[in-house]
Short mmCIF file of all heavy atoms in Angstrom, two decimals:
data_model
loop_
_atom_site.label_atom_id
_atom_site.label_comp_id
_atom_site.label_asym_id
_atom_site.label_seq_id
_atom_site.Cartn_x
_atom_site.Cartn_y
_atom_site.Cartn_z
N THR A 160 100.32 96.93 125.96
CA THR A 160 99.71 96.00 126.92
C THR A 160 100.14 96.32 128.35
O THR A 160 101.20 96.88 128.59
CB THR A 160 100.08 94.55 126.58
OG1 THR A 160 101.51 94.41 126.54
CG2 THR A 160 99.50 94.15 125.23
N PRO A 161 99.32 95.92 129.34
CA PRO A 161 99.58 96.23 130.74
C PRO A 161 100.36 95.14 131.44
O PRO A 161 100.66 94.09 130.87
CB PRO A 161 98.16 96.34 131.32
CG PRO A 161 97.40 95.29 130.55
CD PRO A 161 97.99 95.30 129.15
N TRP A 162 100.62 95.36 132.74
CA TRP A 162 101.44 94.43 133.52
C TRP A 162 100.62 93.36 134.22
O TRP A 162 101.17 92.36 134.65
CB TRP A 162 102.24 95.20 134.57
CG TRP A 162 101.43 96.19 135.37
CD1 TRP A 162 101.35 97.53 135.14
CD2 TRP A 162 100.59 95.92 136.49
NE1 TRP A 162 100.50 98.12 136.05
CE2 TRP A 162 100.01 97.14 136.90
CE3 TRP A 162 100.25 94.77 137.20
CZ2 TRP A 162 99.13 97.26 137.96
CZ3 TRP A 162 99.37 94.87 138.27
CH2 TRP A 162 98.82 96.10 138.63
N ASN A 163 99.31 93.54 134.36
CA ASN A 163 98.57 92.63 135.24
C ASN A 163 98.34 91.26 134.63
O ASN A 163 98.21 90.27 135.34
CB ASN A 163 97.25 93.26 135.69
CG ASN A 163 96.33 93.59 134.55
OD1 ASN A 163 96.76 93.96 133.46
ND2 ASN A 163 95.03 93.48 134.78
N PHE A 164 98.26 91.16 133.30
CA PHE A 164 98.25 89.88 132.60
C PHE A 164 99.31 89.97 131.50
O PHE A 164 98.99 90.16 130.33
CB PHE A 164 96.87 89.56 132.02
CG PHE A 164 95.86 89.16 133.06
CD1 PHE A 164 95.03 90.10 133.63
CD2 PHE A 164 95.78 87.85 133.50
CE1 PHE A 164 94.11 89.75 134.61
CE2 PHE A 164 94.86 87.48 134.48
CZ PHE A 164 94.03 88.42 135.03
N PRO A 165 100.58 89.83 131.87
CA PRO A 165 101.66 90.21 130.95
C PRO A 165 101.91 89.24 129.81
O PRO A 165 102.72 89.55 128.92
CB PRO A 165 102.88 90.29 131.87
CG PRO A 165 102.57 89.34 132.97
CD PRO A 165 101.09 89.44 133.19
N ILE A 166 101.24 88.08 129.80
CA ILE A 166 101.39 87.20 128.65
C ILE A 166 100.05 86.87 128.01
O ILE A 166 99.96 86.72 126.79
CB ILE A 166 102.17 85.92 129.01
CG1 ILE A 166 102.68 85.21 127.75
CG2 ILE A 166 101.37 84.98 129.89
CD1 ILE A 166 103.77 84.19 128.00
N ALA A 167 98.97 86.82 128.79
CA ALA A 167 97.66 86.50 128.22
C ALA A 167 97.13 87.65 127.38
O ALA A 167 96.65 87.45 126.25
CB ALA A 167 96.67 86.14 129.32
N ILE A 168 97.17 88.88 127.90
CA ILE A 168 96.66 90.02 127.12
C ILE A 168 97.47 90.25 125.85
O ILE A 168 96.90 90.42 124.77
CB ILE A 168 96.56 91.29 128.00
CG1 ILE A 168 95.43 91.11 129.03
CG2 ILE A 168 96.31 92.52 127.14
CD1 ILE A 168 95.27 92.28 129.97
N PRO A 169 98.82 90.24 125.91
CA PRO A 169 99.55 90.33 124.64
C PRO A 169 99.19 89.22 123.66
O PRO A 169 99.07 89.46 122.46
CB PRO A 169 101.01 90.23 125.09
CG PRO A 169 101.02 90.77 126.47
CD PRO A 169 99.73 90.31 127.08
N ALA A 170 98.99 88.00 124.17
CA ALA A 170 98.63 86.90 123.27
C ALA A 170 97.32 87.15 122.58
O ALA A 170 97.17 86.92 121.37
CB ALA A 170 98.59 85.58 124.04
N TRP A 171 96.32 87.67 123.32
CA TRP A 171 95.02 87.83 122.66
C TRP A 171 94.96 89.06 121.76
O TRP A 171 94.02 89.22 121.00
CB TRP A 171 93.87 87.75 123.64
CG TRP A 171 93.45 88.92 124.47
CD1 TRP A 171 93.21 90.20 124.06
CD2 TRP A 171 93.11 88.88 125.86
NE1 TRP A 171 92.77 90.97 125.11
CE2 TRP A 171 92.69 90.18 126.23
CE3 TRP A 171 93.11 87.89 126.83
CZ2 TRP A 171 92.29 90.52 127.52
CZ3 TRP A 171 92.69 88.22 128.12
CH2 TRP A 171 92.30 89.51 128.45
N LYS A 172 95.98 89.91 121.79
CA LYS A 172 96.08 90.99 120.81
C LYS A 172 96.99 90.60 119.63
O LYS A 172 96.65 90.81 118.46
CB LYS A 172 96.61 92.26 121.47
CG LYS A 172 95.68 92.90 122.50
CD LYS A 172 96.33 94.11 123.13
CE LYS A 172 95.48 94.73 124.22
NZ LYS A 172 94.25 95.36 123.73
N ILE A 173 98.17 90.06 119.96
CA ILE A 173 99.17 89.78 118.93
C ILE A 173 98.75 88.59 118.07
O ILE A 173 98.94 88.60 116.84
CB ILE A 173 100.54 89.54 119.58
CG1 ILE A 173 101.04 90.85 120.22
CG2 ILE A 173 101.56 89.02 118.57
CD1 ILE A 173 102.26 90.67 121.10
N ALA A 174 98.19 87.54 118.67
CA ALA A 174 97.84 86.34 117.90
C ALA A 174 96.85 86.64 116.78
O ALA A 174 97.08 86.24 115.62
CB ALA A 174 97.31 85.25 118.83
N PRO A 175 95.73 87.34 117.02
CA PRO A 175 94.85 87.64 115.90
C PRO A 175 95.46 88.59 114.89
O PRO A 175 95.24 88.47 113.68
CB PRO A 175 93.61 88.24 116.56
CG PRO A 175 94.06 88.72 117.89
CD PRO A 175 95.14 87.76 118.30
N ALA A 176 96.25 89.55 115.37
CA ALA A 176 96.91 90.46 114.44
C ALA A 176 97.78 89.69 113.45
O ALA A 176 97.75 89.94 112.24
CB ALA A 176 97.75 91.48 115.21
N LEU A 177 98.55 88.73 113.96
CA LEU A 177 99.41 87.93 113.09
C LEU A 177 98.61 86.95 112.25
O LEU A 177 98.89 86.76 111.06
CB LEU A 177 100.44 87.17 113.95
CG LEU A 177 101.42 88.02 114.76
CD1 LEU A 177 102.32 87.11 115.59
CD2 LEU A 177 102.26 88.92 113.85
N ALA A 178 97.62 86.30 112.84
CA ALA A 178 96.83 85.32 112.11
C ALA A 178 96.18 85.94 110.89
O ALA A 178 96.09 85.31 109.82
CB ALA A 178 95.77 84.71 113.02
N TYR A 179 95.72 87.19 111.02
CA TYR A 179 95.02 87.83 109.91
C TYR A 179 95.94 88.60 108.98
O TYR A 179 95.49 89.32 108.10
CB TYR A 179 93.93 88.75 110.47
CG TYR A 179 92.92 88.03 111.33
CD1 TYR A 179 92.46 88.58 112.51
CD2 TYR A 179 92.43 86.78 110.97
CE1 TYR A 179 91.54 87.92 113.31
CE2 TYR A 179 91.51 86.11 111.75
CZ TYR A 179 91.07 86.68 112.93
OH TYR A 179 90.15 86.02 113.72
N GLY A 180 97.27 88.48 109.19
CA GLY A 180 98.22 88.98 108.21
C GLY A 180 98.83 90.33 108.47
O GLY A 180 99.45 90.91 107.57
N ASN A 181 98.73 90.85 109.70
CA ASN A 181 99.32 92.14 110.03
C ASN A 181 100.73 92.00 110.60
O ASN A 181 101.07 90.94 111.15
CB ASN A 181 98.45 92.86 111.07
CG ASN A 181 97.04 93.09 110.59
OD1 ASN A 181 96.79 93.97 109.77
ND2 ASN A 181 96.11 92.29 111.09
N ALA A 182 101.51 93.05 110.51
CA ALA A 182 102.76 93.16 111.25
C ALA A 182 102.49 93.98 112.51
O ALA A 182 101.58 94.81 112.54
CB ALA A 182 103.84 93.81 110.41
N VAL A 183 103.28 93.75 113.56
CA VAL A 183 102.99 94.31 114.87
C VAL A 183 104.19 95.04 115.45
O VAL A 183 105.32 94.56 115.35
CB VAL A 183 102.55 93.18 115.85
CG1 VAL A 183 102.35 93.73 117.26
CG2 VAL A 183 101.27 92.51 115.36
N VAL A 184 103.92 96.19 116.07
CA VAL A 184 104.88 96.86 116.94
C VAL A 184 104.27 96.83 118.34
O VAL A 184 103.20 97.39 118.57
CB VAL A 184 105.17 98.30 116.50
CG1 VAL A 184 106.15 98.96 117.48
CG2 VAL A 184 105.72 98.33 115.09
N TRP A 185 104.96 96.17 119.27
CA TRP A 185 104.40 95.90 120.59
C TRP A 185 105.21 96.59 121.66
O TRP A 185 106.41 96.40 121.76
CB TRP A 185 104.40 94.39 120.82
CG TRP A 185 104.05 93.92 122.20
CD1 TRP A 185 103.19 94.49 123.08
CD2 TRP A 185 104.58 92.75 122.84
NE1 TRP A 185 103.13 93.74 124.24
CE2 TRP A 185 103.97 92.68 124.13
CE3 TRP A 185 105.49 91.75 122.46
CZ2 TRP A 185 104.26 91.65 125.02
CZ3 TRP A 185 105.77 90.73 123.36
CH2 TRP A 185 105.15 90.68 124.61
N LYS A 186 104.52 97.40 122.49
CA LYS A 186 105.14 97.95 123.68
C LYS A 186 104.50 97.30 124.91
O LYS A 186 103.39 97.65 125.31
CB LYS A 186 104.96 99.47 123.79
CG LYS A 186 105.89 100.09 124.84
CD LYS A 186 105.37 101.36 125.45
CE LYS A 186 104.45 101.14 126.61
NZ LYS A 186 105.11 100.52 127.81
N PRO A 187 105.21 96.35 125.53
CA PRO A 187 104.70 95.77 126.77
C PRO A 187 104.92 96.70 127.94
O PRO A 187 105.62 97.72 127.82
CB PRO A 187 105.53 94.49 126.91
CG PRO A 187 106.82 94.80 126.23
CD PRO A 187 106.49 95.75 125.11
N SER A 188 104.35 96.35 129.08
CA SER A 188 104.55 97.16 130.29
C SER A 188 106.02 97.12 130.72
O SER A 188 106.69 96.08 130.65
CB SER A 188 103.68 96.64 131.42
OG SER A 188 104.04 97.25 132.65
N GLU A 189 106.49 98.25 131.23
CA GLU A 189 107.86 98.32 131.75
C GLU A 189 108.03 97.51 133.02
O GLU A 189 109.16 97.25 133.44
CB GLU A 189 108.25 99.77 131.99
CG GLU A 189 107.41 100.53 132.98
CD GLU A 189 106.17 101.18 132.38
OE1 GLU A 189 105.81 100.85 131.23
OE2 GLU A 189 105.58 102.03 133.07
N LEU A 190 106.92 97.08 133.67
CA LEU A 190 107.03 96.27 134.89
C LEU A 190 107.24 94.79 134.61
O LEU A 190 107.63 94.04 135.50
CB LEU A 190 105.77 96.44 135.76
CG LEU A 190 105.51 97.81 136.37
CD1 LEU A 190 104.26 97.76 137.24
CD2 LEU A 190 106.71 98.30 137.17
N THR A 191 106.98 94.35 133.38
CA THR A 191 107.05 92.91 133.08
C THR A 191 107.81 92.62 131.79
O THR A 191 107.32 91.90 130.91
CB THR A 191 105.63 92.32 132.99
OG1 THR A 191 104.84 93.12 132.08
CG2 THR A 191 104.94 92.31 134.34
N PRO A 192 109.03 93.12 131.64
CA PRO A 192 109.76 92.92 130.39
C PRO A 192 110.23 91.48 130.19
O PRO A 192 110.32 91.01 129.04
CB PRO A 192 110.95 93.87 130.52
CG PRO A 192 111.18 93.98 132.00
CD PRO A 192 109.80 93.95 132.60
N LEU A 193 110.51 90.76 131.26
CA LEU A 193 111.03 89.40 131.12
C LEU A 193 109.97 88.46 130.55
O LEU A 193 110.24 87.68 129.63
CB LEU A 193 111.54 88.90 132.47
CG LEU A 193 112.19 87.51 132.50
CD1 LEU A 193 113.30 87.38 131.48
CD2 LEU A 193 112.70 87.21 133.91
N THR A 194 108.76 88.53 131.08
CA THR A 194 107.67 87.72 130.54
C THR A 194 107.42 88.06 129.08
O THR A 194 107.18 87.18 128.25
CB THR A 194 106.39 87.95 131.37
OG1 THR A 194 106.66 87.68 132.75
CG2 THR A 194 105.27 87.05 130.90
N SER A 195 107.51 89.33 128.75
CA SER A 195 107.30 89.77 127.37
C SER A 195 108.34 89.17 126.44
O SER A 195 108.03 88.72 125.33
CB SER A 195 107.35 91.30 127.30
OG SER A 195 106.43 91.88 128.20
N CYS A 196 109.58 89.13 126.90
CA CYS A 196 110.64 88.54 126.08
C CYS A 196 110.38 87.06 125.81
O CYS A 196 110.69 86.56 124.72
CB CYS A 196 111.99 88.74 126.75
SG CYS A 196 112.63 90.43 126.67
N HIS A 197 109.83 86.36 126.78
CA HIS A 197 109.52 84.95 126.56
C HIS A 197 108.49 84.77 125.44
O HIS A 197 108.63 83.87 124.60
CB HIS A 197 109.00 84.31 127.85
CG HIS A 197 110.06 84.10 128.89
ND1 HIS A 197 111.29 83.55 128.61
CD2 HIS A 197 110.06 84.36 130.23
CE1 HIS A 197 112.00 83.47 129.72
NE2 HIS A 197 111.28 83.97 130.71
N LEU A 198 107.45 85.61 125.42
CA LEU A 198 106.45 85.50 124.36
C LEU A 198 107.04 85.84 123.00
O LEU A 198 106.82 85.12 122.02
CB LEU A 198 105.26 86.41 124.66
CG LEU A 198 104.13 86.40 123.62
CD1 LEU A 198 103.56 85.00 123.43
CD2 LEU A 198 103.04 87.39 123.99
N ALA A 199 107.82 86.90 122.93
CA ALA A 199 108.46 87.26 121.66
C ALA A 199 109.38 86.15 121.18
O ALA A 199 109.43 85.83 119.99
CB ALA A 199 109.23 88.57 121.82
N SER A 200 110.10 85.52 122.10
CA SER A 200 111.05 84.48 121.73
C SER A 200 110.36 83.26 121.12
O SER A 200 110.82 82.73 120.10
CB SER A 200 111.88 84.05 122.95
OG SER A 200 112.75 85.08 123.35
N VAL A 201 109.26 82.80 121.74
CA VAL A 201 108.63 81.60 121.19
C VAL A 201 108.03 81.87 119.81
O VAL A 201 108.05 81.00 118.93
CB VAL A 201 107.55 81.02 122.14
CG1 VAL A 201 108.17 80.55 123.44
CG2 VAL A 201 106.40 81.98 122.38
N LEU A 202 107.56 83.08 119.58
CA LEU A 202 107.02 83.41 118.26
C LEU A 202 108.12 83.42 117.21
O LEU A 202 107.94 82.90 116.10
CB LEU A 202 106.28 84.75 118.30
CG LEU A 202 104.90 84.69 118.98
CD1 LEU A 202 104.43 86.09 119.36
CD2 LEU A 202 103.89 84.02 118.06
N HIS A 203 109.26 83.99 117.54
CA HIS A 203 110.35 84.01 116.58
C HIS A 203 110.94 82.61 116.38
O HIS A 203 111.26 82.22 115.25
CB HIS A 203 111.43 85.00 117.02
CG HIS A 203 111.07 86.42 116.74
ND1 HIS A 203 110.42 87.21 117.65
CD2 HIS A 203 111.25 87.19 115.62
CE1 HIS A 203 110.21 88.41 117.11
NE2 HIS A 203 110.71 88.43 115.90
N GLU A 204 111.06 81.84 117.46
CA GLU A 204 111.57 80.48 117.32
C GLU A 204 110.62 79.61 116.50
O GLU A 204 111.05 78.64 115.87
CB GLU A 204 111.79 79.85 118.69
CG GLU A 204 112.96 80.43 119.46
CD GLU A 204 113.07 79.83 120.85
OE1 GLU A 204 112.92 78.60 120.98
OE2 GLU A 204 113.28 80.60 121.81
N ALA A 205 109.34 79.96 116.52
CA ALA A 205 108.36 79.18 115.76
C ALA A 205 108.40 79.48 114.27
O ALA A 205 107.70 78.83 113.49
CB ALA A 205 106.96 79.47 116.30
N GLY A 206 109.21 80.46 113.88
CA GLY A 206 109.35 80.74 112.45
C GLY A 206 108.78 82.05 111.99
O GLY A 206 108.69 82.31 110.78
N LEU A 207 108.39 82.94 112.91
CA LEU A 207 107.88 84.24 112.49
C LEU A 207 109.01 85.05 111.85
O LEU A 207 110.08 85.21 112.44
CB LEU A 207 107.34 84.99 113.71
CG LEU A 207 106.50 86.24 113.43
CD1 LEU A 207 105.18 85.85 112.78
CD2 LEU A 207 106.25 87.01 114.72
N PRO A 208 108.82 85.54 110.65
CA PRO A 208 109.90 86.27 109.97
C PRO A 208 110.30 87.55 110.70
O PRO A 208 109.48 88.17 111.38
CB PRO A 208 109.30 86.60 108.59
CG PRO A 208 108.20 85.60 108.40
CD PRO A 208 107.64 85.35 109.77
N ASP A 209 111.56 87.93 110.57
CA ASP A 209 112.04 89.16 111.18
C ASP A 209 111.20 90.34 110.70
O ASP A 209 110.82 90.43 109.53
CB ASP A 209 113.51 89.40 110.80
CG ASP A 209 114.44 88.39 111.46
OD1 ASP A 209 114.00 87.70 112.40
OD2 ASP A 209 115.61 88.31 111.02
N GLY A 210 110.92 91.25 111.63
CA GLY A 210 110.17 92.46 111.30
C GLY A 210 108.68 92.33 111.43
O GLY A 210 107.98 93.35 111.49
N VAL A 211 108.16 91.11 111.48
CA VAL A 211 106.71 90.95 111.58
C VAL A 211 106.22 91.27 113.00
O VAL A 211 105.15 91.83 113.18
CB VAL A 211 106.29 89.52 111.16
CG1 VAL A 211 104.80 89.30 111.36
CG2 VAL A 211 106.66 89.30 109.69
N LEU A 212 107.03 90.91 114.01
CA LEU A 212 106.74 91.32 115.38
C LEU A 212 107.96 92.05 115.92
O LEU A 212 109.05 91.48 116.02
CB LEU A 212 106.43 90.11 116.27
CG LEU A 212 106.31 90.41 117.77
CD1 LEU A 212 105.14 91.36 118.04
CD2 LEU A 212 106.17 89.14 118.58
N ASN A 213 107.77 93.30 116.28
CA ASN A 213 108.83 94.12 116.85
C ASN A 213 108.42 94.53 118.25
O ASN A 213 107.33 95.08 118.45
CB ASN A 213 109.07 95.36 115.99
CG ASN A 213 109.39 94.99 114.55
OD1 ASN A 213 110.54 94.71 114.20
ND2 ASN A 213 108.37 94.95 113.71
N MET A 214 109.28 94.26 119.22
CA MET A 214 108.98 94.55 120.62
C MET A 214 109.85 95.71 121.08
O MET A 214 111.08 95.66 120.98
CB MET A 214 109.24 93.32 121.49
CG MET A 214 108.93 93.53 122.97
SD MET A 214 109.31 92.06 123.96
CE MET A 214 111.11 92.00 123.81
N VAL A 215 109.19 96.76 121.60
CA VAL A 215 109.89 97.97 122.05
C VAL A 215 109.75 98.07 123.56
O VAL A 215 108.64 98.28 124.07
CB VAL A 215 109.30 99.22 121.37
CG1 VAL A 215 110.02 100.47 121.85
CG2 VAL A 215 109.39 99.09 119.85
N LEU A 216 110.86 97.89 124.28
CA LEU A 216 110.86 98.04 125.73
C LEU A 216 111.09 99.51 126.04
O LEU A 216 112.18 100.05 125.80
CB LEU A 216 111.95 97.18 126.37
CG LEU A 216 111.85 95.67 126.11
CD1 LEU A 216 112.97 94.94 126.86
CD2 LEU A 216 110.49 95.12 126.53
N ALA A 217 110.07 100.17 126.57
CA ALA A 217 110.14 101.62 126.73
C ALA A 217 109.07 102.09 127.69
O ALA A 217 108.15 101.34 128.05
CB ALA A 217 109.95 102.31 125.37
N TYR A 218 109.17 103.35 128.09
CA TYR A 218 108.10 104.02 128.82
C TYR A 218 107.15 104.65 127.80
O TYR A 218 107.58 105.15 126.74
CB TYR A 218 108.66 105.08 129.75
CG TYR A 218 109.41 104.52 130.93
CD1 TYR A 218 110.80 104.60 130.99
CD2 TYR A 218 108.74 103.91 131.98
CE1 TYR A 218 111.50 104.10 132.08
CE2 TYR A 218 109.43 103.39 133.08
CZ TYR A 218 110.81 103.48 133.11
OH TYR A 218 111.50 102.97 134.17
N GLY A 219 105.87 104.67 128.15
CA GLY A 219 104.88 105.19 127.22
C GLY A 219 105.14 106.62 126.80
O GLY A 219 104.94 106.98 125.63
N GLN A 220 105.60 107.46 127.73
CA GLN A 220 105.82 108.86 127.39
C GLN A 220 106.94 109.04 126.37
O GLN A 220 107.03 110.06 125.69
CB GLN A 220 106.10 109.69 128.64
CG GLN A 220 107.41 109.36 129.35
CD GLN A 220 107.22 108.37 130.48
OE1 GLN A 220 106.29 107.56 130.45
NE2 GLN A 220 108.08 108.45 131.50
#
Side-chain angles (χ1 to χ4, degrees):
T160 56
W162 48 262
N163 60 326
F164 287 93
I166 197 163
I168 290 178
W171 82 49
K172 293 178 184 292
I173 293 170
L177 298 178
Y179 302 137
N181 301 284
V183 175
V184 179
W185 171 33
K186 194 207 86 65
S188 169
E189 61 273 13
L190 294 183
T191 52
L193 183 54
T194 305
S195 305
C196 286
H197 288 313
L198 179 59
S200 291
V201 296
L202 285 163
H203 282 91
E204 289 176 44
L207 193 68
D209 291 346
V211 176
L212 172 63
N213 304 275
M214 181 182 67
V215 179
L216 300 183
Y218 290 107
Q220 66 265 27

